[in-house]
Amino acid sequence: MTVPRGTGRGTAGANLLALRSHNTALVLDLLRAAGTEGISRLELAERTGLTPQAVSKITARVREQGLAAEAGRRASTGGKPRTVLRLVPEAGHAVGVRIDRDEVRTVVVDLNGTVVGERSRPLDLGAGAEDVVETVALEVEGLLGDVSGSLGHGFLESLIGVGIALPGPLDHGRGVLHRVTGFPEWDGFPLRDALARRLGLPVVVDKDTNAAALGLSVAGEGGSFAYLHLGTGLGAGLVIGGHVHRGARTGAGEFGHQVIQLDGPVCGCGDRGCIEVLCLTAVERGELGEAARVLGAGAANLVGLLDIELVLLGGRTVAAAPEVFVDGVSAMVAARARREGMPGGAVPVRVAPGGERGVAEGAAQLLLAPMFGRGDG
């Protein structure tokens, strides 16, 4: 099945976006957390602090939109058994797209974040904006056709939108790219609006590391952590107090371009001695241990600056030698903790779950997470 150009958004998808409100998000998040066992209206009121009347109105509305359904009855301490409600995961879907310098990966997830379709293909980010936008749009439409063929035509009506994750820097609020390292021709390109026009769907754009960090937070990583992504480039996604930290101009997380060697090699950004160029050149030489130590030096700086609780590593380069990178980064972080007498010792370092698909899944959460009060998209 082929999805026509300008897919458009069904009424269901539009209604899901319209449901965004703080109280509704509280209820939906608890419904999602309850899983198939469900949760009663009384429990919803107790856990949200809302009145039973308010909960009844919200649950009536989300049931009308098809987001919730009865999950049976549960015995109560007195009176008639309570009806319990559950989330209907298939009532809404979002597309997540990860645009790398040499590949585009696309997923479709339901309201639980479960992947129901995936595809990928090579991409040349330097081919020009028009060609890249068309390639990405065709991949999205192709995947929507695949998923629609298996889930039925109602799937297209449930689409909420498309989340795009790609290397920064960029303006998340306006969906406009800045000078992506190595690709200055993208500076100022309005990617969000270009893809929204082409696809006929709402589009949200963010840095790949921010999207991955959001996905990890939604999946249960709590507190404050840094997600460091080493692949074709190097960047960071920061979650502070449970929220993605984008900064005043949405430019936070340009981790790879902190200078640690003043007379070092020239980086693609134009500066010298950036962590990114030092890591990547070490990888090119086959010196993965050295790359891990350089990455660890940057991670230790970040831990000291922000006092975060956890460092997560991701990206294809890390995936190729996870133990080397975990050991190397851990050693550098631990050495700094010993020097500074950090209470509790060094923060833990581990590989982020999700693998190469994690960024694309996080991109889909740019649309879904705000529905559950878990992010601002």
Side-chain angles (χ1 to χ4, degrees), residues 324-358:
V324 172
F325 280 95
V326 170
D327 291 346
V329 173
S330 295
M332 297 297 288
V333 172
R336 177 161 183 160
R338 287 194 299 270
R339 289 195 304 271
E340 297 182 352
M342 187 180 296
V347 302
V349 178
R350 64 174 187 262
V351 173
E356 283 296 291
R357 199 167 72 179

mmCIF file of all heavy atoms in Angstrom, residues 324-358:
data_model
loop_
_atom_site.group_PDB
_atom_site.id
_atom_site.type_symbol
_atom_site.label_atom_id
_atom_site.label_comp_id
_atom_site.label_asym_id
_atom_site.label_seq_id
_atom_site.Cartn_x
_atom_site.Cartn_y
_atom_site.Cartn_z
ATOM 1 N N VAL A 324 34.809 -1.198 26.363
ATOM 2 C CA VAL A 324 35.951 -0.280 26.296
ATOM 3 C C VAL A 324 35.523 1.127 26.705
ATOM 4 O O VAL A 324 36.211 1.795 27.494
ATOM 5 C CB VAL A 324 36.548 -0.257 24.873
ATOM 6 C CG1 VAL A 324 37.614 0.840 24.758
ATOM 7 C CG2 VAL A 324 37.145 -1.611 24.519
ATOM 8 N N PHE A 325 34.391 1.566 26.202
ATOM 9 C CA PHE A 325 33.958 2.933 26.483
ATOM 10 C C PHE A 325 33.436 3.078 27.913
ATOM 11 O O PHE A 325 33.708 4.086 28.578
ATOM 12 C CB PHE A 325 32.926 3.386 25.453
ATOM 13 C CG PHE A 325 33.556 3.819 24.167
ATOM 14 C CD1 PHE A 325 33.695 2.939 23.108
ATOM 15 C CD2 PHE A 325 34.058 5.103 24.035
ATOM 16 C CE1 PHE A 325 34.313 3.334 21.932
ATOM 17 C CE2 PHE A 325 34.677 5.517 22.858
ATOM 18 C CZ PHE A 325 34.809 4.624 21.809
ATOM 19 N N VAL A 326 32.710 2.106 28.390
ATOM 20 C CA VAL A 326 32.238 2.180 29.777
ATOM 21 C C VAL A 326 33.425 2.190 30.733
ATOM 22 O O VAL A 326 33.491 3.007 31.668
ATOM 23 C CB VAL A 326 31.284 1.022 30.102
ATOM 24 C CG1 VAL A 326 31.004 0.961 31.606
ATOM 25 C CG2 VAL A 326 29.961 1.188 29.349
ATOM 26 N N ASP A 327 34.403 1.312 30.502
ATOM 27 C CA ASP A 327 35.573 1.254 31.386
ATOM 28 C C ASP A 327 36.386 2.544 31.314
ATOM 29 O O ASP A 327 36.808 3.087 32.352
ATOM 30 C CB ASP A 327 36.456 0.064 31.017
ATOM 31 C CG ASP A 327 35.802 -1.274 31.345
ATOM 32 O OD1 ASP A 327 34.808 -1.277 32.086
ATOM 33 O OD2 ASP A 327 36.298 -2.306 30.853
ATOM 34 N N GLY A 328 36.617 3.039 30.109
ATOM 35 C CA GLY A 328 37.435 4.237 29.948
ATOM 36 C C GLY A 328 36.792 5.471 30.544
ATOM 37 O O GLY A 328 37.445 6.253 31.251
ATOM 38 N N VAL A 329 35.506 5.664 30.282
ATOM 39 C CA VAL A 329 34.793 6.827 30.819
ATOM 40 C C VAL A 329 34.679 6.705 32.334
ATOM 41 O O VAL A 329 34.890 7.678 33.073
ATOM 42 C CB VAL A 329 33.406 6.971 30.168
ATOM 43 C CG1 VAL A 329 32.598 8.089 30.845
ATOM 44 C CG2 VAL A 329 33.547 7.268 28.672
ATOM 45 N N SER A 330 34.358 5.510 32.815
ATOM 46 C CA SER A 330 34.225 5.297 34.264
ATOM 47 C C SER A 330 35.514 5.633 34.991
ATOM 48 O O SER A 330 35.508 6.246 36.072
ATOM 49 C CB SER A 330 33.838 3.847 34.561
ATOM 50 O OG SER A 330 32.565 3.546 34.046
ATOM 51 N N ALA A 331 36.652 5.234 34.404
ATOM 52 C CA ALA A 331 37.936 5.480 35.048
ATOM 53 C C ALA A 331 38.214 6.969 35.190
ATOM 54 O O ALA A 331 38.696 7.431 36.235
ATOM 55 C CB ALA A 331 39.057 4.807 34.246
ATOM 56 N N MET A 332 37.902 7.733 34.156
ATOM 57 C CA MET A 332 38.147 9.174 34.201
ATOM 58 C C MET A 332 37.207 9.870 35.185
ATOM 59 O O MET A 332 37.611 10.769 35.929
ATOM 60 C CB MET A 332 37.993 9.775 32.803
ATOM 61 C CG MET A 332 38.984 9.249 31.784
ATOM 62 S SD MET A 332 40.701 9.643 32.186
ATOM 63 C CE MET A 332 40.723 11.403 31.858
ATOM 64 N N VAL A 333 35.947 9.454 35.190
ATOM 65 C CA VAL A 333 34.974 10.036 36.115
ATOM 66 C C VAL A 333 35.343 9.692 37.555
ATOM 67 O O VAL A 333 35.269 10.540 38.464
ATOM 68 C CB VAL A 333 33.547 9.557 35.771
ATOM 69 C CG1 VAL A 333 32.553 9.993 36.849
ATOM 70 C CG2 VAL A 333 33.112 10.097 34.415
ATOM 71 N N ALA A 334 35.765 8.447 37.784
ATOM 72 C CA ALA A 334 36.144 8.020 39.137
ATOM 73 C C ALA A 334 37.391 8.750 39.615
ATOM 74 O O ALA A 334 37.503 9.114 40.795
ATOM 75 C CB ALA A 334 36.374 6.516 39.157
ATOM 76 N N ALA A 335 38.362 8.968 38.712
ATOM 77 C CA ALA A 335 39.591 9.663 39.102
ATOM 78 C C ALA A 335 39.278 11.082 39.572
ATOM 79 O O ALA A 335 39.842 11.555 40.570
ATOM 80 C CB ALA A 335 40.565 9.694 37.922
ATOM 81 N N ARG A 336 38.389 11.760 38.880
ATOM 82 C CA ARG A 336 38.024 13.112 39.298
ATOM 83 C C ARG A 336 37.288 13.086 40.635
ATOM 84 O O ARG A 336 37.508 13.943 41.497
ATOM 85 C CB ARG A 336 37.173 13.784 38.236
ATOM 86 C CG ARG A 336 36.709 15.175 38.655
ATOM 87 C CD ARG A 336 36.288 16.012 37.501
ATOM 88 N NE ARG A 336 35.914 17.354 37.942
ATOM 89 C CZ ARG A 336 35.867 18.401 37.142
ATOM 90 N NH1 ARG A 336 36.194 18.288 35.864
ATOM 91 N NH2 ARG A 336 35.512 19.574 37.603
ATOM 92 N N ALA A 337 36.412 12.099 40.812
ATOM 93 C CA ALA A 337 35.674 11.996 42.075
ATOM 94 C C ALA A 337 36.631 11.803 43.246
ATOM 95 O O ALA A 337 36.440 12.378 44.324
ATOM 96 C CB ALA A 337 34.672 10.843 41.996
ATOM 97 N N ARG A 338 37.704 10.989 43.041
ATOM 98 C CA ARG A 338 38.687 10.769 44.117
ATOM 99 C C ARG A 338 39.457 12.054 44.417
ATOM 100 O O ARG A 338 39.683 12.381 45.581
ATOM 101 C CB ARG A 338 39.660 9.652 43.709
ATOM 102 C CG ARG A 338 39.058 8.265 43.744
ATOM 103 C CD ARG A 338 40.141 7.208 43.658
ATOM 104 N NE ARG A 338 40.902 7.314 42.405
ATOM 105 C CZ ARG A 338 40.574 6.681 41.279
ATOM 106 N NH1 ARG A 338 39.469 5.926 41.236
ATOM 107 N NH2 ARG A 338 41.311 6.807 40.203
ATOM 108 N N ARG A 339 39.838 12.771 43.369
ATOM 109 C CA ARG A 339 40.597 14.003 43.582
ATOM 110 C C ARG A 339 39.800 15.037 44.352
ATOM 111 O O ARG A 339 40.334 15.784 45.177
ATOM 112 C CB ARG A 339 41.028 14.600 42.236
ATOM 113 C CG ARG A 339 42.108 13.827 41.519
ATOM 114 C CD ARG A 339 42.727 14.654 40.401
ATOM 115 N NE ARG A 339 41.748 15.128 39.431
ATOM 116 C CZ ARG A 339 41.378 14.449 38.355
ATOM 117 N NH1 ARG A 339 41.890 13.247 38.124
ATOM 118 N NH2 ARG A 339 40.500 14.952 37.513
ATOM 119 N N GLU A 340 38.500 15.087 44.072
ATOM 120 C CA GLU A 340 37.654 16.101 44.694
ATOM 121 C C GLU A 340 36.994 15.621 45.971
ATOM 122 O O GLU A 340 36.276 16.380 46.627
ATOM 123 C CB GLU A 340 36.582 16.552 43.691
ATOM 124 C CG GLU A 340 37.175 17.226 42.449
ATOM 125 C CD GLU A 340 36.107 17.703 41.491
ATOM 126 O OE1 GLU A 340 34.920 17.371 41.718
ATOM 127 O OE2 GLU A 340 36.459 18.405 40.533
ATOM 128 N N GLY A 341 37.215 14.349 46.332
ATOM 129 C CA GLY A 341 36.591 13.814 47.530
ATOM 130 C C GLY A 341 35.078 13.863 47.451
ATOM 131 O O GLY A 341 34.403 14.179 48.432
ATOM 132 N N MET A 342 34.558 13.534 46.297
ATOM 133 C CA MET A 342 33.118 13.621 46.057
ATOM 134 C C MET A 342 32.348 12.684 46.995
ATOM 135 O O MET A 342 32.613 11.470 47.013
ATOM 136 C CB MET A 342 32.801 13.284 44.602
ATOM 137 C CG MET A 342 31.355 13.504 44.201
ATOM 138 S SD MET A 342 31.095 13.068 42.464
ATOM 139 C CE MET A 342 32.144 14.276 41.650
ATOM 140 N N PRO A 343 31.402 13.207 47.782
ATOM 141 C CA PRO A 343 30.599 12.338 48.655
ATOM 142 C C PRO A 343 29.863 11.276 47.842
ATOM 143 O O PRO A 343 29.258 11.581 46.811
ATOM 144 C CB PRO A 343 29.613 13.315 49.304
ATOM 145 C CG PRO A 343 30.263 14.653 49.190
ATOM 146 C CD PRO A 343 31.027 14.629 47.907
ATOM 147 N N GLY A 344 29.937 10.044 48.302
ATOM 148 C CA GLY A 344 29.264 8.973 47.584
ATOM 149 C C GLY A 344 30.078 8.391 46.453
ATOM 150 O O GLY A 344 29.657 7.432 45.807
ATOM 151 N N GLY A 345 31.227 8.977 46.166
ATOM 152 C CA GLY A 345 32.073 8.454 45.103
ATOM 153 C C GLY A 345 31.621 8.874 43.723
ATOM 154 O O GLY A 345 30.819 9.786 43.552
ATOM 155 N N ALA A 346 32.149 8.197 42.711
ATOM 156 C CA ALA A 346 31.873 8.556 41.319
ATOM 157 C C ALA A 346 30.455 8.166 40.918
ATOM 158 O O ALA A 346 29.881 7.197 41.436
ATOM 159 C CB ALA A 346 32.874 7.870 40.405
ATOM 160 N N VAL A 347 29.902 8.923 39.970
ATOM 161 C CA VAL A 347 28.591 8.573 39.441
ATOM 162 C C VAL A 347 28.749 7.360 38.523
ATOM 163 O O VAL A 347 29.798 7.154 37.915
ATOM 164 C CB VAL A 347 27.952 9.751 38.670
ATOM 165 C CG1 VAL A 347 27.827 10.974 39.555
ATOM 166 C CG2 VAL A 347 28.731 10.080 37.408
ATOM 167 N N PRO A 348 27.731 6.536 38.418
ATOM 168 C CA PRO A 348 27.818 5.358 37.549
ATOM 169 C C PRO A 348 27.819 5.737 36.073
ATOM 170 O O PRO A 348 27.264 6.768 35.681
ATOM 171 C CB PRO A 348 26.570 4.550 37.920
ATOM 172 C CG PRO A 348 25.629 5.537 38.525
ATOM 173 C CD PRO A 348 26.463 6.585 39.178
ATOM 174 N N VAL A 349 28.438 4.899 35.274
ATOM 175 C CA VAL A 349 28.485 5.055 33.821
ATOM 176 C C VAL A 349 28.031 3.742 33.207
ATOM 177 O O VAL A 349 28.540 2.670 33.573
ATOM 178 C CB VAL A 349 29.913 5.385 33.335
ATOM 179 C CG1 VAL A 349 29.949 5.490 31.807
ATOM 180 C CG2 VAL A 349 30.417 6.673 33.966
ATOM 181 N N ARG A 350 27.084 3.807 32.286
ATOM 182 C CA ARG A 350 26.651 2.578 31.618
ATOM 183 C C ARG A 350 26.140 2.890 30.219
ATOM 184 O O ARG A 350 25.898 4.052 29.876
ATOM 185 C CB ARG A 350 25.588 1.843 32.436
ATOM 186 C CG ARG A 350 24.280 2.566 32.624
ATOM 187 C CD ARG A 350 23.273 1.646 33.318
ATOM 188 N NE ARG A 350 21.939 2.205 33.393
ATOM 189 C CZ ARG A 350 21.441 2.821 34.444
ATOM 190 N NH1 ARG A 350 22.181 2.958 35.537
ATOM 191 N NH2 ARG A 350 20.210 3.296 34.422
ATOM 192 N N VAL A 351 25.986 1.861 29.423
ATOM 193 C CA VAL A 351 25.462 2.016 28.062
ATOM 194 C C VAL A 351 23.953 2.224 28.130
ATOM 195 O O VAL A 351 23.251 1.526 28.868
ATOM 196 C CB VAL A 351 25.791 0.782 27.201
ATOM 197 C CG1 VAL A 351 25.110 0.869 25.837
ATOM 198 C CG2 VAL A 351 27.301 0.648 27.024
ATOM 199 N N ALA A 352 23.468 3.194 27.375
ATOM 200 C CA ALA A 352 22.029 3.455 27.340
ATOM 201 C C ALA A 352 21.308 2.332 26.616
ATOM 202 O O ALA A 352 21.810 1.799 25.624
ATOM 203 C CB ALA A 352 21.761 4.776 26.633
ATOM 204 N N PRO A 353 20.118 1.949 27.100
ATOM 205 C CA PRO A 353 19.335 0.941 26.383
ATOM 206 C C PRO A 353 18.772 1.534 25.093
ATOM 207 O O PRO A 353 18.706 2.746 24.926
ATOM 208 C CB PRO A 353 18.219 0.607 27.370
ATOM 209 C CG PRO A 353 18.069 1.841 28.206
ATOM 210 C CD PRO A 353 19.451 2.426 28.327
ATOM 211 N N GLY A 354 18.368 0.666 24.197
ATOM 212 C CA GLY A 354 17.701 1.139 22.980
ATOM 213 C C GLY A 354 18.530 1.035 21.721
ATOM 214 O O GLY A 354 17.989 0.942 20.619
ATOM 215 N N GLY A 355 19.847 1.069 21.863
ATOM 216 C CA GLY A 355 20.706 0.933 20.703
ATOM 217 C C GLY A 355 20.485 2.014 19.666
ATOM 218 O O GLY A 355 20.084 3.140 19.964
ATOM 219 N N GLU A 356 20.727 1.672 18.402
ATOM 220 C CA GLU A 356 20.621 2.636 17.307
ATOM 221 C C GLU A 356 19.190 3.148 17.135
ATOM 222 O O GLU A 356 18.977 4.232 16.603
ATOM 223 C CB GLU A 356 21.093 1.990 16.005
ATOM 224 C CG GLU A 356 22.599 1.894 15.876
ATOM 225 C CD GLU A 356 23.260 3.268 15.820
ATOM 226 O OE1 GLU A 356 23.081 3.970 14.819
ATOM 227 O OE2 GLU A 356 23.939 3.623 16.793
ATOM 228 N N ARG A 357 18.217 2.364 17.573
ATOM 229 C CA ARG A 357 16.818 2.768 17.415
ATOM 230 C C ARG A 357 16.377 3.771 18.460
ATOM 231 O O ARG A 357 15.340 4.424 18.309
ATOM 232 C CB ARG A 357 15.931 1.512 17.488
ATOM 233 C CG ARG A 357 14.559 1.688 16.907
ATOM 234 C CD ARG A 357 13.863 0.357 16.727
ATOM 235 N NE ARG A 357 13.455 -0.239 17.996
ATOM 236 C CZ ARG A 357 12.810 -1.393 18.113
ATOM 237 N NH1 ARG A 357 12.535 -2.081 17.013
ATOM 238 N NH2 ARG A 357 12.448 -1.870 19.276
ATOM 239 N N GLY A 358 17.178 3.911 19.537
ATOM 240 C CA GLY A 358 16.769 4.746 20.663
ATOM 241 C C GLY A 358 16.521 6.193 20.298
ATOM 242 O O GLY A 358 15.605 6.830 20.831
#
